[in-house]
Amino acid sequence: MTTQTLTYLFVGLTFGIYIAIAIWSRAASTKDFYVAGGGVHPIANGMATAADWMSAASFISMAGIIAFLGYDGSVYLMGWTGGYVLLALLLAPYLRKFGQFTVPDFIGERYYSRVARVVAVTCLIFVSFTYVAGQMRGVGIVFSRFLEVDINLGVLIGMAVVFIYAVLGGMKGITYTQVAQYCVLIFAYLVPAIFISFLVTGVPVPQLGLGSETVDGSGMAVLEKLDFTLQELGFGPYTSGSKSTIDVFAITLALMVGTAGLPHVIVRFFTVPKVSDARVSAGYALVFIALLYTTAPAVGAFARLNFVETIHETRYQDAPGWFRNWEDIGLIGWLDKNRDGAIQYGPGAPFEGRPAFNTGQGDSGERLVSSAPTKVRNEVYVDRDIMVLANPEIANLPGWVIALVAAGGLAAALSTAAGLLLVISTSISHDLLKKTFLPGISEKQELLYARLSAATAICVAGYLGINPPGFVAQVVAFAFGLAAASLFPAIFMGIFSRRMNTLGAVAGMCAGLSFTSIYIVYFKFIRPDLNNAEHWLLGISPEGIGVLGMVINFAVALSLCRLQAPPPFEIQELIDDIRVPAGARVAHEH
């Protein structure tokens, strides 16, 4: 059976499972649609949370970033894993005890204000659409390569699948679909990693293989050989970084606190029966997440090493099939600058501007690009988002492994996209309509509006997937920065500050979101030519600027809250109640 046939089989089978689960667990009430009825087992919720959390950025893009950035890519590992621990310990149990459906629900009730609720919804939608753009981009990449369709058509197919199980099943359908998706994505990630680790080092455990000696007789360990190979080509050492300490700190912290403010992850803790179950499911989720995150550095290192050894100085006519497959869809490009017919790989951008592919055939048979070549020696353009997907092909693994990775990449992207789209639809139907503008609607009408909102959100997400503002992990990093600057401070102060009131929270969210979004838009879209450390504020990149946005949020909130009276007594009682374990107050009184 060919690799292409296996890919269609694996992807078709997994899609069939997802849709069948959605039909089986169709939401019959708003509670089913919003929080899966509140009765999900902690282990199942842990798996669903892991699938929700490990998006296309984790599965497809993170190892690709590590492969090309080396040590600098570690900020994504530290930030995302540390952020989940912060969320699990600092926020999740308290939000679960609060007992509402959504993050804007908490903010609206805690700050006793419709305005606060609407601002929270605005922040949530802003963050979620930024995040979901990366997921739909990942879906398009997987479809375009493995199912041989145009990237844009791939995004549309992904939209259709998400539409079926998100709109039909709501949170109940998404939860059990995500359990299946976790099983698919983790198996798809680990199997090729184990294969490649064994081929490169003779050690089948990738985490151990990363520090082991290669089997090629060089006598060098993997990272030692990677350093040597890249330096020979003119790159900096793989194991040392080029980012400033302050930028590494800012990006890591922005990813951490952004994680703790991500609404699609927080809402997962509303789906378990008890507060204690929220803590237990958080622990299970951390274990499930660690399986992938501890493997990613090895996957990135093996991918970069195999890529260089397979491509550099290879004649184009002898290039492996996978190189031309990715070249056909524009995610790898080569221009023979010195006309020697061989592929030269090195540092620097190979083309001026963004390369445009498939415009003809060059003198050496390569795809021509419309942009003029630079003086840089490098002749190869590689989209970072393809490294995990191409890894099994580069290592010449069996066709069924390649097909499995395709199914896993789609599972990762679709699971997170569904969670984000549900959060958007819930915020619109429940927080804006039911709780703010149309309080008289029935539960049946609210459920209808939730489904209509989900359908609309899917269309917007598809547009963003077709016209993405960057590569997958970069777009996701922006979403985390926006969450760090807007939602996290409001949630944190809502739990731990009895003095914080409506004025402080609303002003803080608006200030943090405005500053962070303006900074990102300016350096990424208005003046990308100035996007370097020389022009950044305090040397902090757009990926890490959410930290300053968060500081501004806290500063504005804590300053302005003094201009308004403290929260009402019942709100202060509510704060005390969600922070005290059940029965503790009674025991103290006696």
Side-chain angles (χ1 to χ4, degrees):
M1 196 176 292
T2 65
T3 300
Q4 190 65 39
T5 303
L6 286 168
T7 303
Y8 280 114
L9 179 63
F10 280 31
V11 171
L13 182 63
T14 53
F15 276 15
I17 292 172
Y18 305 154
I19 293 170
I21 291 173
I23 294 171
W24 166 73
S25 56
R26 185 181 183 196
S29 66
T30 52
K31 190 173 183 181
D32 280 348
F33 195 90
Y34 294 148
V35 292
V40 180
H41 191 279
I43 295 179
N45 194 57
M47 296 177 78
T49 303
D52 211 357
W53 169 233
M54 293 190 295
S55 63
S58 294
F59 188 98
I60 295 174
S61 198
M62 184 174 65
I65 283 186
I66 295 171
F68 284 92
L69 296 184
Y71 180 85
D72 285 340
S74 62
V75 296
Y76 293 93
L77 286 169
M78 294 186 295
W80 283 334
T81 50
Y84 184 79
V85 175
L86 184 70
L87 169 63
L89 298 180
L90 197 63
L91 301 182
Y94 305 113
L95 291 172
R96 174 62 188 85
K97 190 173 182 184
F98 185 76
Q100 295 295 325
F101 285 151
T102 67
V103 170
D105 239 355
F106 170 79
I107 291 175
E109 294 294 328
R110 163 60 183 86
Y111 295 111
Y112 48 95
S113 166
R114 286 188 176 183
V115 174
R117 186 188 296 272
V118 172
V119 171
V121 171
T122 303
C123 292
L124 181 149
I125 290 174
F126 209 97
V127 169
S128 298
F129 272 130
T130 304
Y131 200 158
V132 83
Q135 311 314 309
M136 300 312 292
R137 163 74 173 170
V139 171
I141 289 173
V142 176
F143 268 114
S144 64
R145 164 62 190 92
F146 294 106
L147 301 184
E148 298 184 352
V149 299
D150 181 72
I151 284 185
N152 296 346
L153 178 58
V155 171
L156 294 175
I157 296 171
M159 287 169 57
V161 175
V162 173
F163 178 88
I164 292 172
Y165 68 78
V167 175
L168 183 66
M171 179 58 81
K172 189 175 181 182
I174 285 174
T175 295
Y176 294 107
T177 300
Q178 285 174 336
V179 171
Q181 286 168 330
Y182 174 78
C183 296
V184 172
L185 77 86
I186 200 64
F187 190 63
Y189 202 86
L190 293 179
V191 168
I194 291 168
F195 263 107
I196 295 170
S197 179
F198 186 76
L199 290 173
V200 174
T201 67
V203 178
V205 181
Q207 293 87 339
L208 299 178
L210 181 62
S212 301
E213 188 176 300
T214 59
V215 295
D216 60 2
S218 65
M220 291 189 285
V222 172
L223 293 177
E224 184 185 3
K225 183 174 182 181
L226 196 47
D227 272 348
F228 175 79
T229 302
L230 292 177
Q231 287 177 287
E232 283 280 296
L233 295 177
F235 291 95
Y238 187 80
T239 54
S240 62
S242 60
K243 287 182 178 293
S244 65
T245 302
I246 188 171
D247 197 31
V248 169
F249 174 80
I251 295 174
T252 303
L253 186 57
L255 294 174
M256 283 183 65
V257 294
T259 297
L262 283 179
H264 74 292
V265 178
I266 290 174
V267 76
R268 291 243 52 93
F269 297 102
F270 296 137
T271 65
V272 292
K274 305 190 297 291
V275 176
S276 60
D277 291 335
R279 294 184 185 275
V280 172
S281 67
Y284 279 119
L286 195 55
V287 172
F288 295 138
I289 290 169
L291 287 175
L292 188 145
Y293 269 66
T294 57
T295 308
V299 171
F302 294 148
R304 186 71 178 279
L305 188 59
N306 284 338
F307 179 81
V308 172
E309 292 184 338
T310 306
I311 289 305
H312 183 60
E313 297 291 359
T314 299
R315 295 194 63 78
Y316 182 72
Q317 62 193 39
D318 300 324
W322 63 266
F323 187 91
R324 301 194 186 207
N325 289 336
W326 288 102
E327 191 183 24
D328 286 343
I329 59 172
L331 297 178
I332 280 180
W334 174 60
L335 186 63
D336 192 9
K337 296 180 180 180
N338 58 8
R339 299 292 186 264
D340 67 349
I343 300 169
Q344 310 293 329
Y345 177 60
F351 312 121
E352 295 283 5
R354 188 174 180 84
F357 298 93
N358 302 330
T359 57
Q361 294 291 325
D363 294 341
S364 300
E366 78 275 21
R367 298 282 190 184
L368 280 179
V369 291
S370 58
S371 44
T374 67
K375 296 178 181 179
V376 174
R377 174 172 168 267
N378 181 28
E379 298 178 346
V380 184
Y381 165 82
V382 186
D383 190 303
R384 297 177 184 182
D385 289 338
I386 75 168
M387 292 311 294
V388 169
L389 301 174
N391 217 9
E393 295 177 280
I394 296 172
N396 202 26
L397 296 185
W400 67 268
V401 179
I402 297 169
L404 182 63
V405 168
L410 289 171
L414 293 175
S415 61
T416 302
L420 288 163
L421 293 166
L422 185 73
V423 162
I424 294 168
S425 69
T426 301
S427 298
I428 293 171
S429 63
H430 181 69
D431 294 301
L432 284 186
L433 298 180
K434 178 68 175 178
K435 290 294 187 76
T436 307
F437 299 119
L438 298 173
I441 61 174
S442 66
E443 180 175 323
K444 186 175 181 181
Q445 288 174 312
E446 185 182 351
L447 187 58
L448 174 63
Y449 285 129
R451 287 183 165 135
L452 290 174
S453 301
T456 304
I458 288 169
C459 294
V460 176
Y463 174 81
L464 293 172
I466 292 170
N467 301 281
F471 59 90
V472 174
Q474 184 184 50
V475 174
V476 170
F478 295 155
F480 280 74
L482 293 169
S486 58
L487 294 172
F488 174 78
I491 297 169
F492 180 84
M493 291 185 290
I495 294 171
F496 295 101
S497 171
R498 299 173 85 246
R499 182 66 181 80
M500 187 51 57
N501 51 29
T502 305
L503 178 62
V506 170
M509 284 190 288
C510 291
L513 182 67
S514 300
F515 169 79
T516 306
S517 56
I518 289 170
Y519 191 93
I520 291 172
V521 168
Y522 179 78
F523 281 112
K524 287 296 178 180
F525 304 107
I526 298 176
R527 292 300 304 273
D529 56 307
L530 300 180
N531 188 22
N532 54 63
E534 183 181 343
H535 297 97
W536 294 335
L537 180 62
L538 301 179
I540 299 176
S541 65
E543 288 81 4
I545 199 62
V547 167
L548 277 185
M550 177 188 69
V551 172
I552 290 170
N553 187 328
F554 274 117
V556 169
L558 292 171
S559 300
L560 295 186
C561 76
R562 302 294 172 182
L563 303 179
Q564 188 182 42
F569 176 76
E570 61 270 18
I571 297 296
Q572 297 188 40
E573 284 283 292
L574 172 66
I575 297 167
D576 290 338
D577 181 63
I578 65 174
R579 285 167 51 188
V580 176
R585 184 176 297 176
V586 175
H588 176 72
E589 291 172 353
H590 287 283

mmCIF file of all heavy atoms in Angstrom, residues 466-487:
data_model
loop_
_atom_site.group_PDB
_atom_site.id
_atom_site.type_symbol
_atom_site.label_atom_id
_atom_site.label_comp_id
_atom_site.label_asym_id
_atom_site.label_seq_id
_atom_site.Cartn_x
_atom_site.Cartn_y
_atom_site.Cartn_z
ATOM 1 N N ILE A 466 -6.023 31.123 5.948
ATOM 2 C CA ILE A 466 -5.625 31.316 4.555
ATOM 3 C C ILE A 466 -4.689 32.523 4.425
ATOM 4 O O ILE A 466 -3.794 32.555 3.579
ATOM 5 C CB ILE A 466 -6.876 31.497 3.674
ATOM 6 C CG1 ILE A 466 -7.653 30.167 3.615
ATOM 7 C CG2 ILE A 466 -6.502 31.949 2.266
ATOM 8 C CD1 ILE A 466 -9.014 30.281 2.978
ATOM 9 N N ASN A 467 -4.879 33.518 5.305
ATOM 10 C CA ASN A 467 -4.039 34.724 5.282
ATOM 11 C C ASN A 467 -3.361 34.905 6.641
ATOM 12 O O ASN A 467 -3.676 35.841 7.384
ATOM 13 C CB ASN A 467 -4.891 35.958 4.955
ATOM 14 C CG ASN A 467 -5.593 35.831 3.623
ATOM 15 O OD1 ASN A 467 -5.000 36.024 2.578
ATOM 16 N ND2 ASN A 467 -6.881 35.506 3.664
ATOM 17 N N PRO A 468 -2.448 34.015 7.012
ATOM 18 C CA PRO A 468 -1.860 34.051 8.353
ATOM 19 C C PRO A 468 -0.869 35.200 8.512
ATOM 20 O O PRO A 468 -0.179 35.562 7.555
ATOM 21 C CB PRO A 468 -1.135 32.702 8.446
ATOM 22 C CG PRO A 468 -0.744 32.402 7.043
ATOM 23 C CD PRO A 468 -1.867 32.942 6.180
ATOM 24 N N PRO A 469 -0.776 35.780 9.728
ATOM 25 C CA PRO A 469 0.177 36.869 9.954
ATOM 26 C C PRO A 469 1.571 36.391 10.315
ATOM 27 O O PRO A 469 2.370 37.151 10.819
ATOM 28 C CB PRO A 469 -0.466 37.621 11.131
ATOM 29 C CG PRO A 469 -1.235 36.580 11.866
ATOM 30 C CD PRO A 469 -1.715 35.591 10.841
ATOM 31 N N GLY A 470 1.909 35.131 10.109
ATOM 32 C CA GLY A 470 3.239 34.621 10.438
ATOM 33 C C GLY A 470 3.221 33.116 10.447
ATOM 34 O O GLY A 470 2.215 32.490 10.125
ATOM 35 N N PHE A 471 4.351 32.493 10.813
ATOM 36 C CA PHE A 471 4.350 31.040 10.911
ATOM 37 C C PHE A 471 3.686 30.620 12.217
ATOM 38 O O PHE A 471 3.493 31.419 13.134
ATOM 39 C CB PHE A 471 5.758 30.455 10.746
ATOM 40 C CG PHE A 471 6.773 30.922 11.745
ATOM 41 C CD1 PHE A 471 6.958 30.248 12.938
ATOM 42 C CD2 PHE A 471 7.556 32.031 11.477
ATOM 43 C CE1 PHE A 471 7.900 30.671 13.849
ATOM 44 C CE2 PHE A 471 8.505 32.461 12.386
ATOM 45 C CZ PHE A 471 8.679 31.782 13.577
ATOM 46 N N VAL A 472 3.312 29.367 12.332
ATOM 47 C CA VAL A 472 2.370 28.924 13.360
ATOM 48 C C VAL A 472 2.789 29.302 14.774
ATOM 49 O O VAL A 472 2.034 29.937 15.516
ATOM 50 C CB VAL A 472 2.157 27.395 13.255
ATOM 51 C CG1 VAL A 472 1.289 26.907 14.406
ATOM 52 C CG2 VAL A 472 1.499 27.038 11.926
ATOM 53 N N ALA A 473 3.989 28.915 15.200
ATOM 54 C CA ALA A 473 4.380 29.164 16.585
ATOM 55 C C ALA A 473 4.514 30.656 16.874
ATOM 56 O O ALA A 473 4.263 31.107 17.987
ATOM 57 C CB ALA A 473 5.688 28.445 16.916
ATOM 58 N N GLN A 474 4.906 31.443 15.874
ATOM 59 C CA GLN A 474 5.026 32.884 16.066
ATOM 60 C C GLN A 474 3.657 33.504 16.316
ATOM 61 O O GLN A 474 3.481 34.327 17.214
ATOM 62 C CB GLN A 474 5.672 33.508 14.828
ATOM 63 C CG GLN A 474 5.938 34.999 14.951
ATOM 64 C CD GLN A 474 6.476 35.584 13.665
ATOM 65 O OE1 GLN A 474 5.916 35.367 12.593
ATOM 66 N NE2 GLN A 474 7.561 36.317 13.760
ATOM 67 N N VAL A 475 2.669 33.116 15.520
ATOM 68 C CA VAL A 475 1.313 33.628 15.701
ATOM 69 C C VAL A 475 0.787 33.255 17.083
ATOM 70 O O VAL A 475 0.183 34.069 17.787
ATOM 71 C CB VAL A 475 0.363 33.058 14.611
ATOM 72 C CG1 VAL A 475 -1.072 33.476 14.875
ATOM 73 C CG2 VAL A 475 0.805 33.548 13.243
ATOM 74 N N VAL A 476 1.045 32.025 17.500
ATOM 75 C CA VAL A 476 0.591 31.562 18.805
ATOM 76 C C VAL A 476 1.285 32.346 19.918
ATOM 77 O O VAL A 476 0.667 32.678 20.931
ATOM 78 C CB VAL A 476 0.841 30.044 18.946
ATOM 79 C CG1 VAL A 476 0.621 29.583 20.369
ATOM 80 C CG2 VAL A 476 -0.091 29.287 17.994
ATOM 81 N N ALA A 477 2.574 32.655 19.738
ATOM 82 C CA ALA A 477 3.289 33.441 20.745
ATOM 83 C C ALA A 477 2.640 34.808 20.929
ATOM 84 O O ALA A 477 2.555 35.330 22.045
ATOM 85 C CB ALA A 477 4.760 33.592 20.349
ATOM 86 N N PHE A 478 2.164 35.414 19.837
ATOM 87 C CA PHE A 478 1.470 36.693 19.944
ATOM 88 C C PHE A 478 0.197 36.545 20.780
ATOM 89 O O PHE A 478 -0.134 37.406 21.598
ATOM 90 C CB PHE A 478 1.104 37.227 18.557
ATOM 91 C CG PHE A 478 2.288 37.573 17.703
ATOM 92 C CD1 PHE A 478 2.187 37.564 16.326
ATOM 93 C CD2 PHE A 478 3.507 37.891 18.269
ATOM 94 C CE1 PHE A 478 3.270 37.876 15.527
ATOM 95 C CE2 PHE A 478 4.606 38.206 17.477
ATOM 96 C CZ PHE A 478 4.485 38.194 16.107
ATOM 97 N N ALA A 479 -0.532 35.448 20.578
ATOM 98 C CA ALA A 479 -1.762 35.210 21.333
ATOM 99 C C ALA A 479 -1.463 35.113 22.826
ATOM 100 O O ALA A 479 -2.206 35.635 23.661
ATOM 101 C CB ALA A 479 -2.445 33.931 20.834
ATOM 102 N N PHE A 480 -0.364 34.445 23.173
ATOM 103 C CA PHE A 480 0.001 34.314 24.574
ATOM 104 C C PHE A 480 0.345 35.681 25.164
ATOM 105 O O PHE A 480 0.014 35.979 26.314
ATOM 106 C CB PHE A 480 1.182 33.360 24.729
ATOM 107 C CG PHE A 480 0.801 31.911 24.690
ATOM 108 C CD1 PHE A 480 0.452 31.297 23.496
ATOM 109 C CD2 PHE A 480 0.771 31.155 25.842
ATOM 110 C CE1 PHE A 480 0.095 29.967 23.452
ATOM 111 C CE2 PHE A 480 0.413 29.817 25.808
ATOM 112 C CZ PHE A 480 0.072 29.218 24.618
ATOM 113 N N GLY A 481 1.050 36.505 24.387
ATOM 114 C CA GLY A 481 1.380 37.849 24.862
ATOM 115 C C GLY A 481 0.135 38.675 25.118
ATOM 116 O O GLY A 481 0.040 39.394 26.126
ATOM 117 N N LEU A 482 -0.849 38.565 24.227
ATOM 118 C CA LEU A 482 -2.097 39.301 24.408
ATOM 119 C C LEU A 482 -2.867 38.803 25.628
ATOM 120 O O LEU A 482 -3.450 39.594 26.372
ATOM 121 C CB LEU A 482 -2.954 39.165 23.143
ATOM 122 C CG LEU A 482 -2.397 39.841 21.885
ATOM 123 C CD1 LEU A 482 -3.188 39.415 20.649
ATOM 124 C CD2 LEU A 482 -2.409 41.358 22.031
ATOM 125 N N ALA A 483 -2.866 37.494 25.853
ATOM 126 C CA ALA A 483 -3.532 36.931 27.034
ATOM 127 C C ALA A 483 -2.831 37.377 28.313
ATOM 128 O O ALA A 483 -3.474 37.698 29.322
ATOM 129 C CB ALA A 483 -3.561 35.407 26.949
ATOM 130 N N ALA A 484 -1.497 37.396 28.285
ATOM 131 C CA ALA A 484 -0.721 37.828 29.461
ATOM 132 C C ALA A 484 -1.027 39.280 29.814
ATOM 133 O O ALA A 484 -1.113 39.639 30.989
ATOM 134 C CB ALA A 484 0.773 37.658 29.183
ATOM 135 N N ALA A 485 -1.189 40.110 28.792
ATOM 136 C CA ALA A 485 -1.375 41.542 29.017
ATOM 137 C C ALA A 485 -2.803 41.920 29.369
ATOM 138 O O ALA A 485 -3.034 42.992 29.943
ATOM 139 C CB ALA A 485 -0.944 42.312 27.768
ATOM 140 N N SER A 486 -3.767 41.065 29.054
ATOM 141 C CA SER A 486 -5.167 41.454 29.242
ATOM 142 C C SER A 486 -5.887 40.622 30.296
ATOM 143 O O SER A 486 -6.322 41.137 31.337
ATOM 144 C CB SER A 486 -5.909 41.371 27.907
ATOM 145 O OG SER A 486 -5.837 40.061 27.358
ATOM 146 N N LEU A 487 -6.006 39.311 30.076
ATOM 147 C CA LEU A 487 -6.862 38.483 30.926
ATOM 148 C C LEU A 487 -6.188 38.031 32.225
ATOM 149 O O LEU A 487 -6.825 37.993 33.277
ATOM 150 C CB LEU A 487 -7.343 37.256 30.141
ATOM 151 C CG LEU A 487 -8.273 37.545 28.966
ATOM 152 C CD1 LEU A 487 -8.530 36.285 28.155
ATOM 153 C CD2 LEU A 487 -9.589 38.142 29.441
#
